[in-house]
Amino acid sequence: MDNKALLSIIIPAYNCASTIERTVQSLVKQKSDDYEIIIVNDGSKDSTSEVCEKLKSEYPSVKLINKENTGVADTRNVGIKNSEGKYIAFLDSDDVWDEDYYDNDLNQKLTNGNVDIFVFSCCFADLDCNPTEYVRVKPETLSGGDYAAGLFYHSFCSFMFRREFLIKNNIVFPAFLKYGEDEVFRSKALYLADKIVAEDKMSFYYINNPYSSTKMNRNYKQYALQKLRAYYELKQFFFDQYRSKNEEVRVKNSITARYLTESLRLLPEVGYGYKKYKDLCRKENIKELLVQNGNGYFISDTAQGLINNYLRNPLKYYYKHRATGFVHNKLGDFKHFVMRRFHK
């Protein structure tokens, strides 16, 4: 008899002693209990290990893996390797599931196992779990490809992935990325999926926690450079896919275009050299993004304005954003200093 859980819920944990218990308790209150909870402690320096050991002793569904600190991407990969469920869900250690999320109806849909990716609605909330914004998805069934890869920009944790699909296609989190690793993972999966089902069913509450380790320790320069690395990762993946299908090789989905234009906005702000910046814009042929816009993908009005402003006067554009970024980064550093000093 197969006693494996139907759903594996992977929680990367780092210095989250004050929040992870509420996260796990939201899972064990679900109407269906056909799941395993895999907490991967990423070398926490606070009392997270002790809290997780307590949760493991209280709830038989909790598995705990302790490891050295390697970052959230590698931590989630460890969770995937140690999962047994037919489907995999991810949840951050300060977020909570809606109490009616994993019910018998969803359990039955997962049991059928003919969908590669489920996508659900979600809610943003404050630290006390009071809703601040609902993000609804349009109910639909679609197949993968460039259109699908650029959909569903809301939180990564409102997805469920068929484990066999991920393993077969070697879809993992790029361990070299500290930021954007979830969007790269999701976009690859959405492109490769045979069947995607989106449902307007509330999945979880994304807690807007200004004291999370990610927000408190964000390095603006590293963040901008990681956006560029994420763009290159997406570009290489999609271009390889196009070559294998003998398709035209160019940027032709909105997620790749978005990462490029966000990089173009951020890089001057963090002191990326002007000559390097000009070479990047020339090499990536950003003017072509305007020409191709609407032909298979969409870039925002803001992004179009950014490109046009650069093309009109590259030097003025660069140094204007360089000055803006200097002020923004200094204010951000001061804000985080104050928050770390007075937050208990």
Side-chain angles (χ1 to χ4, degrees):
M1 182 176 179
D2 187 359
N3 292 317
K4 293 181 180 179
L6 178 62
L7 177 65
S8 297
I9 308 162
I10 298 170
I11 306 175
Y14 179 74
N15 290 355
C16 55
S18 63
T19 61
I20 193 167
E21 187 165 3
R22 181 176 71 170
T23 297
V24 171
Q25 287 176 348
S26 76
L27 303 181
V28 299
K29 293 177 181 177
Q30 298 297 306
K31 292 180 172 60
S32 175
D33 61 359
D34 196 358
Y35 58 78
E36 61 175 357
I37 302 169
I38 303 175
I39 302 175
V40 188
N41 177 28
D42 186 29
S44 296
K45 296 179 175 65
D46 63 356
S47 59
T48 295
S49 296
E50 290 80 0
V51 175
C52 291
E53 289 289 353
K54 173 178 171 287
L55 293 169
K56 179 183 175 183
S57 66
E58 288 181 0
Y59 304 113
S61 57
V62 172
K63 296 180 180 179
L64 175 60
I65 301 170
N66 292 299
K67 57 183 278 296
E68 294 182 357
N69 179 255
T70 56
V72 67
D74 181 60
T75 299
R76 288 197 183 112
N77 288 336
V78 169
I80 294 173
K81 290 178 182 177
N82 287 274
S83 65
E84 296 183 337
K86 181 178 287 188
Y87 281 85
I88 292 175
F90 299 93
L91 188 62
D92 290 337
S93 57
D94 54 357
D95 297 331
V96 299
W97 270 15
D98 183 86
E99 61 182 9
D100 295 322
Y101 182 28
Y102 191 27
D103 55 14
N104 292 330
D105 179 60
L106 180 54
N107 179 281
Q108 188 59 50
K109 291 175 181 177
L110 300 184
T111 300
N112 292 336
N114 63 348
V115 176
D116 290 326
I117 303 173
F118 284 97
V119 189
F120 302 100
S121 300
C122 71
C123 177
F124 290 80
D126 62 21
L127 288 172
D128 295 321
C129 222
N130 299 310
T132 58
E133 178 186 1
Y134 290 95
V135 181
R136 300 284 187 181
V137 300
K138 173 187 173 184
E140 60 181 327
T141 299
L142 63 158
S143 56
D146 281 305
Y147 172 73
L151 290 178
F152 312 119
Y153 289 156
H154 65 301
S155 182
F156 169 74
C157 294
S158 57
F159 288 68
M160 288 185 179
F161 303 90
R162 189 165 59 88
R163 183 177 181 274
E164 183 180 350
F165 159 71
L166 296 178
I167 302 301
K168 177 183 176 182
N169 290 284
N170 192 32
I171 301 172
V172 297
F173 294 90
F176 58 86
L177 287 179
K178 187 175 182 180
Y179 306 110
E181 79 293 331
D182 50 355
E183 289 198 345
V184 171
F185 179 100
R186 173 179 60 195
S187 299
K188 290 180 180 180
L190 287 168
Y191 179 86
L192 293 171
D194 289 327
K195 186 175 183 181
I196 304 162
V197 172
E199 294 189 9
D200 185 13
K201 175 186 178 73
M202 195 53 56
S203 57
F204 82 112
Y205 292 85
Y206 176 93
I207 306 302
N208 185 14
N209 180 8
Y211 302 104
S212 69
S213 59
T214 299
K215 292 180 180 178
M216 289 286 280
N217 299 306
R218 174 167 291 180
N219 179 294
Y220 291 108
K221 184 171 184 177
Q222 183 185 53
Y223 178 73
L225 293 175
Q226 289 271 293
K227 281 281 187 180
L228 183 60
R229 291 196 71 183
Y231 162 69
Y232 284 135
E233 176 71 9
L234 287 167
K235 177 184 174 183
Q236 179 177 331
F237 168 78
F238 287 118
F239 281 20
D240 286 346
Q241 295 294 320
Y242 304 152
R243 291 187 187 98
S244 70
K245 299 176 181 179
N246 294 318
E247 295 181 2
E248 181 185 4
V249 178
R250 60 171 177 82
V251 174
K252 54 182 179 180
N253 61 54
S254 60
I255 185 66
T256 315
R258 183 162 68 92
Y259 262 84
L260 176 56
T261 55
E262 286 185 3
S263 297
L264 296 176
R265 176 179 61 83
L266 290 170
L267 289 172
E269 296 184 5
V270 298
Y272 195 79
Y274 177 62
K275 184 178 183 303
K276 288 171 60 179
Y277 189 76
K278 281 189 67 177
D279 289 344
L280 171 66
C281 293
R282 176 185 52 79
K283 181 180 177 182
E284 300 306 324
N285 194 13
I286 64 171
K287 187 175 182 179
E288 187 67 15
L289 292 181
L290 298 176
V291 175
Q292 297 292 346
N293 184 36
N295 183 19
Y297 66 85
F298 170 79
I299 60 174
S300 68
D301 292 341
T302 301
Q304 293 178 57
L306 178 153
I307 295 172
N308 279 317
N309 286 337
Y310 171 81
L311 292 173
R312 276 195 291 268
N313 192 327
L315 189 66
K316 179 180 177 181
Y317 172 88
Y318 175 85
Y319 281 104
K320 177 182 177 181
H321 282 267
R322 180 71 189 100
T324 301
F326 178 82
V327 175
H328 171 77
N329 294 338
K330 290 298 181 184
L331 289 175
D333 290 342
F334 178 72
K335 175 184 175 182
H336 287 162
F337 169 78
V338 173
M339 291 173 68
R340 284 192 291 268
R341 181 70 181 269
F342 294 101
H343 176 61
K344 297 182 180 179

